Amino acid sequence: MLIEIAVLLGFGCLSGVTTVLFGFGGGFITVPVVYAFALAEPEHALGAMHVAVATSTAVMVVNSGSATLAQLRTGRLRRDYLWPLIAFIGLGAVLGSFAATAADESVLRWLFVAYLALTIVDSLVRKGFVSRRDDTRPRALGGLTVTAGGTGIGAVASFLGVGGSVLTVPLLRRKGLPMADAAALANPLSLPVAVIGTAVYAFAATGTSSSAAHLGYIDLVAAGALLCGSLPTIAVTRRVVGRIPDRAHAIAYLGLLVAALIAIVIR
């Protein structure tokens, strides 16, 4: 147990860094590590991916909320990119969360893998993600992107427990925003997914709910350990946002996606 807590604390610190720098909220860090530990527990092994996704959403509520507050003073949270996109993401999150609780475990796992792989390929192939000209003027979001796109982002993100930053960051990046601004906006845009997903998973009827260490599918011990690592790291990391070269920031984002993909495939 002590080794498990120490590992979770370490990954919590990493999730704090990714929350601020990439808008991940912790999903791509917490899902693989919680999945690995859940597999090792016989009473939770059959629902390991559900536990991982649910715990991830609970951690994201706190991480994304803390990072959003930290970014308010920077001026990067532009209202025209937040509203009404955030409302449609919330609508999609309701649909995706209920679908996830009824989904087959293996389907959930391999959709997570496919989701990561497609995002990596798309960001490498399409122009505008890795490189951005300094004189690029940000473009407004279209109506279809806000409505259908926002609903889709919310549904997919809540289904997989990843917050939506893997979709919102590339989207905002292609609209001409600097990487630091796209990552900052990803945190408040992830909040409706995290809050709705956590509520659904917490009250889901599951065998894990009989354990005092679980609330529905949520592993409370794992979530607590991850947050103990992430919250102090968020406070420190926010001080370096904007100092990283834009291209290096984008490449690092893709590198972290690749690392998460490898981790979940190996398990």
Side-chain angles (χ1 to χ4, degrees):
M1 176 62 74
L2 290 178
I3 294 176
E4 180 177 337
I5 295 297
V7 171
L8 288 168
L9 281 170
F11 277 92
C13 291
L14 182 56
S15 75
V17 173
T18 62
T19 297
V20 177
L21 295 184
F22 308 113
F24 281 173
F28 289 104
I29 303 300
T30 58
V31 167
V33 69
V34 176
Y35 178 65
F37 283 124
L39 280 179
E41 300 177 9
E43 68 272 29
H44 302 138
L46 292 177
M49 193 61 183
H50 283 98
V51 171
V53 170
T55 304
S56 170
T57 61
V59 171
M60 279 191 292
V61 171
V62 182
N63 279 358
S64 295
S66 298
T68 297
L69 292 175
Q71 295 284 6
L72 279 174
R73 296 180 181 179
T74 66
R76 294 191 175 97
L77 301 183
R78 296 176 51 173
R79 185 182 182 279
D80 51 333
Y81 288 101
L82 283 175
W83 185 263
L85 180 60
I86 194 170
F88 286 97
I89 289 177
L91 174 62
V94 174
L95 303 176
S97 295
F98 281 106
T101 59
D104 180 80
E105 180 77 9
S106 61
V107 171
L108 194 60
R109 179 173 181 263
W110 288 110
L111 280 176
F112 183 79
V113 169
Y115 183 49
L116 278 173
L118 287 173
T119 300
I120 294 166
V121 172
D122 179 72
S123 297
L124 288 172
V125 172
R126 287 204 206 186
K127 294 181 179 180
F129 186 86
V130 174
S131 298
R132 173 184 177 273
R133 292 175 53 181
D134 292 337
D135 60 351
T136 300
R137 295 177 62 86
R139 303 184 303 279
L141 298 173
L144 185 62
T145 299
V146 170
T147 55
T151 303
I153 288 170
V156 172
S158 61
F159 190 88
L160 300 178
V162 294
S165 59
V166 73
L167 287 174
T168 56
V169 170
L171 169 64
L172 296 171
R173 181 71 171 165
R174 286 193 292 270
K175 290 297 181 181
L177 270 68
M179 191 65 195
D181 290 9
L185 286 163
N187 282 300
L189 290 173
S190 294
L191 277 174
V193 173
V195 171
I196 293 169
T198 298
V200 171
Y201 290 124
F203 294 102
T206 167
T208 60
S209 61
S210 61
S211 171
H214 283 77
L215 177 62
Y217 282 115
I218 301 170
D219 186 329
L220 298 177
V221 174
L226 288 163
L227 289 172
C228 284
S230 67
L231 292 177
T233 312
I234 288 173
V236 173
T237 307
R238 68 182 180 86
R239 301 178 184 274
V240 304
V241 175
R243 300 179 185 178
I244 303 173
D246 191 72
R247 180 181 174 85
H249 200 164
I251 292 174
Y253 177 91
L254 292 178
L256 195 57
L257 291 190
V258 171
L261 176 61
I262 293 172
I264 200 70
V265 168
I266 289 175
R267 290 303 308 179

PDB file of all heavy atoms in Angstrom, residues 160-191:
ATOM      1  N   LEU A 160     -14.563   8.521 -22.053  1.00  0.00           N
ATOM      2  CA  LEU A 160     -13.215   7.999 -21.858  1.00  0.00           C
ATOM      3  C   LEU A 160     -12.519   8.555 -20.619  1.00  0.00           C
ATOM      4  O   LEU A 160     -11.428   8.136 -20.276  1.00  0.00           O
ATOM      5  CB  LEU A 160     -12.361   8.302 -23.099  1.00  0.00           C
ATOM      6  CG  LEU A 160     -12.862   7.697 -24.409  1.00  0.00           C
ATOM      7  CD1 LEU A 160     -11.953   8.103 -25.548  1.00  0.00           C
ATOM      8  CD2 LEU A 160     -12.941   6.183 -24.304  1.00  0.00           C
ATOM      9  N   GLY A 161     -13.140   9.539 -19.946  1.00  0.00           N
ATOM     10  CA  GLY A 161     -12.568  10.072 -18.726  1.00  0.00           C
ATOM     11  C   GLY A 161     -11.317  10.898 -18.949  1.00  0.00           C
ATOM     12  O   GLY A 161     -10.402  10.897 -18.126  1.00  0.00           O
ATOM     13  N   VAL A 162     -11.262  11.644 -20.065  1.00  0.00           N
ATOM     14  CA  VAL A 162     -10.044  12.388 -20.397  1.00  0.00           C
ATOM     15  C   VAL A 162     -10.236  13.901 -20.401  1.00  0.00           C
ATOM     16  O   VAL A 162      -9.323  14.636 -20.750  1.00  0.00           O
ATOM     17  CB  VAL A 162      -9.483  11.936 -21.765  1.00  0.00           C
ATOM     18  CG1 VAL A 162      -9.015  10.501 -21.689  1.00  0.00           C
ATOM     19  CG2 VAL A 162     -10.523  12.098 -22.868  1.00  0.00           C
ATOM     20  N   GLY A 163     -11.413  14.400 -20.077  1.00  0.00           N
ATOM     21  CA  GLY A 163     -11.592  15.833 -19.916  1.00  0.00           C
ATOM     22  C   GLY A 163     -11.871  16.617 -21.173  1.00  0.00           C
ATOM     23  O   GLY A 163     -12.452  17.685 -21.124  1.00  0.00           O
ATOM     24  N   GLY A 164     -11.431  16.152 -22.322  1.00  0.00           N
ATOM     25  CA  GLY A 164     -11.717  16.850 -23.572  1.00  0.00           C
ATOM     26  C   GLY A 164     -10.575  17.689 -24.103  1.00  0.00           C
ATOM     27  O   GLY A 164     -10.620  18.172 -25.228  1.00  0.00           O
ATOM     28  N   SER A 165      -9.508  17.859 -23.298  1.00  0.00           N
ATOM     29  CA  SER A 165      -8.400  18.712 -23.745  1.00  0.00           C
ATOM     30  C   SER A 165      -7.721  18.168 -24.989  1.00  0.00           C
ATOM     31  O   SER A 165      -7.184  18.919 -25.797  1.00  0.00           O
ATOM     32  CB  SER A 165      -7.368  18.864 -22.625  1.00  0.00           C
ATOM     33  OG  SER A 165      -6.863  17.601 -22.231  1.00  0.00           O
ATOM     34  N   VAL A 166      -7.763  16.846 -25.170  1.00  0.00           N
ATOM     35  CA  VAL A 166      -7.140  16.257 -26.354  1.00  0.00           C
ATOM     36  C   VAL A 166      -7.878  16.643 -27.630  1.00  0.00           C
ATOM     37  O   VAL A 166      -7.332  16.542 -28.729  1.00  0.00           O
ATOM     38  CB  VAL A 166      -7.061  14.720 -26.214  1.00  0.00           C
ATOM     39  CG1 VAL A 166      -8.422  14.089 -26.365  1.00  0.00           C
ATOM     40  CG2 VAL A 166      -6.078  14.133 -27.211  1.00  0.00           C
ATOM     41  N   LEU A 167      -9.110  17.105 -27.493  1.00  0.00           N
ATOM     42  CA  LEU A 167      -9.858  17.613 -28.637  1.00  0.00           C
ATOM     43  C   LEU A 167      -9.860  19.134 -28.670  1.00  0.00           C
ATOM     44  O   LEU A 167      -9.734  19.745 -29.738  1.00  0.00           O
ATOM     45  CB  LEU A 167     -11.298  17.096 -28.602  1.00  0.00           C
ATOM     46  CG  LEU A 167     -11.495  15.624 -28.941  1.00  0.00           C
ATOM     47  CD1 LEU A 167     -12.938  15.221 -28.716  1.00  0.00           C
ATOM     48  CD2 LEU A 167     -11.092  15.331 -30.373  1.00  0.00           C
ATOM     49  N   THR A 168     -10.013  19.767 -27.518  1.00  0.00           N
ATOM     50  CA  THR A 168     -10.106  21.228 -27.504  1.00  0.00           C
ATOM     51  C   THR A 168      -8.769  21.902 -27.806  1.00  0.00           C
ATOM     52  O   THR A 168      -8.733  22.928 -28.488  1.00  0.00           O
ATOM     53  CB  THR A 168     -10.643  21.735 -26.150  1.00  0.00           C
ATOM     54  OG1 THR A 168      -9.820  21.247 -25.093  1.00  0.00           O
ATOM     55  CG2 THR A 168     -12.077  21.279 -25.927  1.00  0.00           C
ATOM     56  N   VAL A 169      -7.673  21.337 -27.316  1.00  0.00           N
ATOM     57  CA  VAL A 169      -6.371  21.955 -27.574  1.00  0.00           C
ATOM     58  C   VAL A 169      -6.028  21.944 -29.064  1.00  0.00           C
ATOM     59  O   VAL A 169      -5.686  22.994 -29.630  1.00  0.00           O
ATOM     60  CB  VAL A 169      -5.250  21.304 -26.731  1.00  0.00           C
ATOM     61  CG1 VAL A 169      -3.870  21.787 -27.197  1.00  0.00           C
ATOM     62  CG2 VAL A 169      -5.439  21.636 -25.251  1.00  0.00           C
ATOM     63  N   PRO A 170      -6.126  20.793 -29.759  1.00  0.00           N
ATOM     64  CA  PRO A 170      -5.876  20.827 -31.210  1.00  0.00           C
ATOM     65  C   PRO A 170      -6.850  21.730 -31.959  1.00  0.00           C
ATOM     66  O   PRO A 170      -6.460  22.405 -32.912  1.00  0.00           O
ATOM     67  CB  PRO A 170      -6.042  19.356 -31.630  1.00  0.00           C
ATOM     68  CG  PRO A 170      -5.725  18.581 -30.402  1.00  0.00           C
ATOM     69  CD  PRO A 170      -6.278  19.402 -29.276  1.00  0.00           C
ATOM     70  N   LEU A 171      -8.110  21.761 -31.540  1.00  0.00           N
ATOM     71  CA  LEU A 171      -9.104  22.616 -32.187  1.00  0.00           C
ATOM     72  C   LEU A 171      -8.715  24.087 -32.064  1.00  0.00           C
ATOM     73  O   LEU A 171      -8.686  24.828 -33.056  1.00  0.00           O
ATOM     74  CB  LEU A 171     -10.474  22.388 -31.546  1.00  0.00           C
ATOM     75  CG  LEU A 171     -11.583  23.389 -31.933  1.00  0.00           C
ATOM     76  CD1 LEU A 171     -11.907  23.286 -33.410  1.00  0.00           C
ATOM     77  CD2 LEU A 171     -12.825  23.162 -31.073  1.00  0.00           C
ATOM     78  N   LEU A 172      -8.419  24.533 -30.859  1.00  0.00           N
ATOM     79  CA  LEU A 172      -8.062  25.932 -30.621  1.00  0.00           C
ATOM     80  C   LEU A 172      -6.714  26.275 -31.253  1.00  0.00           C
ATOM     81  O   LEU A 172      -6.496  27.396 -31.712  1.00  0.00           O
ATOM     82  CB  LEU A 172      -8.034  26.218 -29.121  1.00  0.00           C
ATOM     83  CG  LEU A 172      -9.384  26.072 -28.401  1.00  0.00           C
ATOM     84  CD1 LEU A 172      -9.203  26.173 -26.890  1.00  0.00           C
ATOM     85  CD2 LEU A 172     -10.381  27.119 -28.889  1.00  0.00           C
ATOM     86  N   ARG A 173      -5.849  25.290 -31.277  1.00  0.00           N
ATOM     87  CA  ARG A 173      -4.540  25.495 -31.904  1.00  0.00           C
ATOM     88  C   ARG A 173      -4.702  25.776 -33.404  1.00  0.00           C
ATOM     89  O   ARG A 173      -4.067  26.679 -33.945  1.00  0.00           O
ATOM     90  CB  ARG A 173      -3.696  24.249 -31.683  1.00  0.00           C
ATOM     91  CG  ARG A 173      -2.294  24.297 -32.256  1.00  0.00           C
ATOM     92  CD  ARG A 173      -1.421  25.228 -31.492  1.00  0.00           C
ATOM     93  NE  ARG A 173      -0.028  25.104 -31.912  1.00  0.00           N
ATOM     94  CZ  ARG A 173       0.910  25.966 -31.626  1.00  0.00           C
ATOM     95  NH1 ARG A 173       0.620  27.043 -30.921  1.00  0.00           N
ATOM     96  NH2 ARG A 173       2.141  25.788 -32.029  1.00  0.00           N
ATOM     97  N   ARG A 174      -5.567  25.008 -34.052  1.00  0.00           N
ATOM     98  CA  ARG A 174      -5.784  25.207 -35.489  1.00  0.00           C
ATOM     99  C   ARG A 174      -6.542  26.500 -35.773  1.00  0.00           C
ATOM    100  O   ARG A 174      -6.551  26.979 -36.902  1.00  0.00           O
ATOM    101  CB  ARG A 174      -6.524  24.005 -36.080  1.00  0.00           C
ATOM    102  CG  ARG A 174      -5.646  22.769 -36.224  1.00  0.00           C
ATOM    103  CD  ARG A 174      -6.293  21.721 -37.085  1.00  0.00           C
ATOM    104  NE  ARG A 174      -7.452  21.142 -36.452  1.00  0.00           N
ATOM    105  CZ  ARG A 174      -7.420  20.068 -35.669  1.00  0.00           C
ATOM    106  NH1 ARG A 174      -6.260  19.471 -35.403  1.00  0.00           N
ATOM    107  NH2 ARG A 174      -8.518  19.589 -35.136  1.00  0.00           N
ATOM    108  N   LYS A 175      -7.186  27.050 -34.764  1.00  0.00           N
ATOM    109  CA  LYS A 175      -7.840  28.350 -34.924  1.00  0.00           C
ATOM    110  C   LYS A 175      -6.857  29.507 -34.750  1.00  0.00           C
ATOM    111  O   LYS A 175      -7.253  30.668 -34.790  1.00  0.00           O
ATOM    112  CB  LYS A 175      -8.988  28.491 -33.913  1.00  0.00           C
ATOM    113  CG  LYS A 175     -10.176  27.583 -34.210  1.00  0.00           C
ATOM    114  CD  LYS A 175     -10.824  27.931 -35.548  1.00  0.00           C
ATOM    115  CE  LYS A 175     -12.015  27.037 -35.840  1.00  0.00           C
ATOM    116  NZ  LYS A 175     -12.627  27.364 -37.153  1.00  0.00           N
ATOM    117  N   GLY A 176      -5.584  29.170 -34.546  1.00  0.00           N
ATOM    118  CA  GLY A 176      -4.557  30.196 -34.505  1.00  0.00           C
ATOM    119  C   GLY A 176      -4.117  30.651 -33.129  1.00  0.00           C
ATOM    120  O   GLY A 176      -3.351  31.602 -33.012  1.00  0.00           O
ATOM    121  N   LEU A 177      -4.576  29.990 -32.066  1.00  0.00           N
ATOM    122  CA  LEU A 177      -4.192  30.409 -30.714  1.00  0.00           C
ATOM    123  C   LEU A 177      -2.807  29.881 -30.355  1.00  0.00           C
ATOM    124  O   LEU A 177      -2.428  28.775 -30.756  1.00  0.00           O
ATOM    125  CB  LEU A 177      -5.197  29.905 -29.679  1.00  0.00           C
ATOM    126  CG  LEU A 177      -6.382  30.821 -29.362  1.00  0.00           C
ATOM    127  CD1 LEU A 177      -7.321  30.923 -30.554  1.00  0.00           C
ATOM    128  CD2 LEU A 177      -7.135  30.315 -28.140  1.00  0.00           C
ATOM    129  N   PRO A 178      -2.043  30.649 -29.575  1.00  0.00           N
ATOM    130  CA  PRO A 178      -0.773  30.142 -29.048  1.00  0.00           C
ATOM    131  C   PRO A 178      -1.035  28.922 -28.168  1.00  0.00           C
ATOM    132  O   PRO A 178      -2.119  28.778 -27.590  1.00  0.00           O
ATOM    133  CB  PRO A 178      -0.236  31.316 -28.220  1.00  0.00           C
ATOM    134  CG  PRO A 178      -0.953  32.512 -28.738  1.00  0.00           C
ATOM    135  CD  PRO A 178      -2.301  32.036 -29.166  1.00  0.00           C
ATOM    136  N   MET A 179      -0.048  28.061 -28.051  1.00  0.00           N
ATOM    137  CA  MET A 179      -0.198  26.835 -27.270  1.00  0.00           C
ATOM    138  C   MET A 179      -0.562  27.139 -25.822  1.00  0.00           C
ATOM    139  O   MET A 179      -1.392  26.455 -25.219  1.00  0.00           O
ATOM    140  CB  MET A 179       1.096  26.036 -27.340  1.00  0.00           C
ATOM    141  CG  MET A 179       0.994  24.630 -26.806  1.00  0.00           C
ATOM    142  SD  MET A 179      -0.109  23.597 -27.784  1.00  0.00           S
ATOM    143  CE  MET A 179      -0.347  22.231 -26.638  1.00  0.00           C
ATOM    144  N   ALA A 180       0.043  28.171 -25.235  1.00  0.00           N
ATOM    145  CA  ALA A 180      -0.244  28.519 -23.840  1.00  0.00           C
ATOM    146  C   ALA A 180      -1.704  28.906 -23.653  1.00  0.00           C
ATOM    147  O   ALA A 180      -2.341  28.542 -22.658  1.00  0.00           O
ATOM    148  CB  ALA A 180       0.665  29.659 -23.384  1.00  0.00           C
ATOM    149  N   ASP A 181      -2.281  29.638 -24.611  1.00  0.00           N
ATOM    150  CA  ASP A 181      -3.684  30.046 -24.518  1.00  0.00           C
ATOM    151  C   ASP A 181      -4.618  28.858 -24.714  1.00  0.00           C
ATOM    152  O   ASP A 181      -5.633  28.721 -24.016  1.00  0.00           O
ATOM    153  CB  ASP A 181      -3.993  31.111 -25.572  1.00  0.00           C
ATOM    154  CG  ASP A 181      -3.324  32.444 -25.257  1.00  0.00           C
ATOM    155  OD1 ASP A 181      -2.496  32.489 -24.328  1.00  0.00           O
ATOM    156  OD2 ASP A 181      -3.622  33.436 -25.935  1.00  0.00           O
ATOM    157  N   ALA A 182      -4.293  27.984 -25.680  1.00  0.00           N
ATOM    158  CA  ALA A 182      -5.128  26.811 -25.937  1.00  0.00           C
ATOM    159  C   ALA A 182      -5.170  25.890 -24.720  1.00  0.00           C
ATOM    160  O   ALA A 182      -6.229  25.381 -24.339  1.00  0.00           O
ATOM    161  CB  ALA A 182      -4.607  26.053 -27.157  1.00  0.00           C
ATOM    162  N   ALA A 183      -4.016  25.699 -24.076  1.00  0.00           N
ATOM    163  CA  ALA A 183      -3.957  24.848 -22.891  1.00  0.00           C
ATOM    164  C   ALA A 183      -4.711  25.473 -21.722  1.00  0.00           C
ATOM    165  O   ALA A 183      -5.380  24.777 -20.952  1.00  0.00           O
ATOM    166  CB  ALA A 183      -2.502  24.597 -22.505  1.00  0.00           C
ATOM    167  N   ALA A 184      -4.614  26.798 -21.587  1.00  0.00           N
ATOM    168  CA  ALA A 184      -5.325  27.483 -20.502  1.00  0.00           C
ATOM    169  C   ALA A 184      -6.835  27.341 -20.662  1.00  0.00           C
ATOM    170  O   ALA A 184      -7.557  27.070 -19.694  1.00  0.00           O
ATOM    171  CB  ALA A 184      -4.934  28.957 -20.479  1.00  0.00           C
ATOM    172  N   LEU A 185      -7.333  27.513 -21.876  1.00  0.00           N
ATOM    173  CA  LEU A 185      -8.769  27.391 -22.137  1.00  0.00           C
ATOM    174  C   LEU A 185      -9.268  25.970 -21.963  1.00  0.00           C
ATOM    175  O   LEU A 185     -10.443  25.743 -21.651  1.00  0.00           O
ATOM    176  CB  LEU A 185      -9.077  27.877 -23.558  1.00  0.00           C
ATOM    177  CG  LEU A 185      -9.043  29.392 -23.765  1.00  0.00           C
ATOM    178  CD1 LEU A 185      -8.937  29.727 -25.246  1.00  0.00           C
ATOM    179  CD2 LEU A 185     -10.285  30.037 -23.163  1.00  0.00           C
ATOM    180  N   ALA A 186      -8.392  24.999 -22.156  1.00  0.00           N
ATOM    181  CA  ALA A 186      -8.805  23.596 -22.035  1.00  0.00           C
ATOM    182  C   ALA A 186      -9.248  23.247 -20.617  1.00  0.00           C
ATOM    183  O   ALA A 186     -10.082  22.359 -20.431  1.00  0.00           O
ATOM    184  CB  ALA A 186      -7.662  22.677 -22.461  1.00  0.00           C
ATOM    185  N   ASN A 187      -8.717  23.942 -19.622  1.00  0.00           N
ATOM    186  CA  ASN A 187      -9.094  23.618 -18.237  1.00  0.00           C
ATOM    187  C   ASN A 187     -10.542  23.945 -17.912  1.00  0.00           C
ATOM    188  O   ASN A 187     -11.286  23.069 -17.454  1.00  0.00           O
ATOM    189  CB  ASN A 187      -8.129  24.304 -17.268  1.00  0.00           C
ATOM    190  CG  ASN A 187      -6.812  23.570 -17.162  1.00  0.00           C
ATOM    191  OD1 ASN A 187      -6.775  22.411 -16.784  1.00  0.00           O
ATOM    192  ND2 ASN A 187      -5.735  24.238 -17.514  1.00  0.00           N
ATOM    193  N   PRO A 188     -11.030  25.179 -18.120  1.00  0.00           N
ATOM    194  CA  PRO A 188     -12.458  25.417 -17.858  1.00  0.00           C
ATOM    195  C   PRO A 188     -13.365  24.627 -18.801  1.00  0.00           C
ATOM    196  O   PRO A 188     -14.460  24.230 -18.397  1.00  0.00           O
ATOM    197  CB  PRO A 188     -12.612  26.929 -18.084  1.00  0.00           C
ATOM    198  CG  PRO A 188     -11.440  27.332 -18.898  1.00  0.00           C
ATOM    199  CD  PRO A 188     -10.329  26.431 -18.479  1.00  0.00           C
ATOM    200  N   LEU A 189     -12.916  24.367 -20.033  1.00  0.00           N
ATOM    201  CA  LEU A 189     -13.730  23.576 -20.964  1.00  0.00           C
ATOM    202  C   LEU A 189     -13.824  22.118 -20.528  1.00  0.00           C
ATOM    203  O   LEU A 189     -14.737  21.399 -20.959  1.00  0.00           O
ATOM    204  CB  LEU A 189     -13.145  23.664 -22.377  1.00  0.00           C
ATOM    205  CG  LEU A 189     -13.286  25.026 -23.074  1.00  0.00           C
ATOM    206  CD1 LEU A 189     -12.531  25.036 -24.395  1.00  0.00           C
ATOM    207  CD2 LEU A 189     -14.757  25.372 -23.304  1.00  0.00           C
ATOM    208  N   SER A 190     -12.895  21.672 -19.684  1.00  0.00           N
ATOM    209  CA  SER A 190     -12.932  20.297 -19.170  1.00  0.00           C
ATOM    210  C   SER A 190     -13.822  20.152 -17.943  1.00  0.00           C
ATOM    211  O   SER A 190     -14.215  19.031 -17.588  1.00  0.00           O
ATOM    212  CB  SER A 190     -11.513  19.832 -18.810  1.00  0.00           C
ATOM    213  OG  SER A 190     -10.694  19.738 -19.944  1.00  0.00           O
ATOM    214  N   LEU A 191     -14.123  21.263 -17.282  1.00  0.00           N
ATOM    215  CA  LEU A 191     -14.880  21.182 -16.021  1.00  0.00           C
ATOM    216  C   LEU A 191     -16.256  20.534 -16.146  1.00  0.00           C
ATOM    217  O   LEU A 191     -16.609  19.694 -15.311  1.00  0.00           O
ATOM    218  CB  LEU A 191     -14.999  22.576 -15.396  1.00  0.00           C
ATOM    219  CG  LEU A 191     -13.801  23.022 -14.566  1.00  0.00           C
ATOM    220  CD1 LEU A 191     -13.952  24.471 -14.121  1.00  0.00           C
ATOM    221  CD2 LEU A 191     -13.631  22.118 -13.343  1.00  0.00           C
TER     222      LEU A 191
END
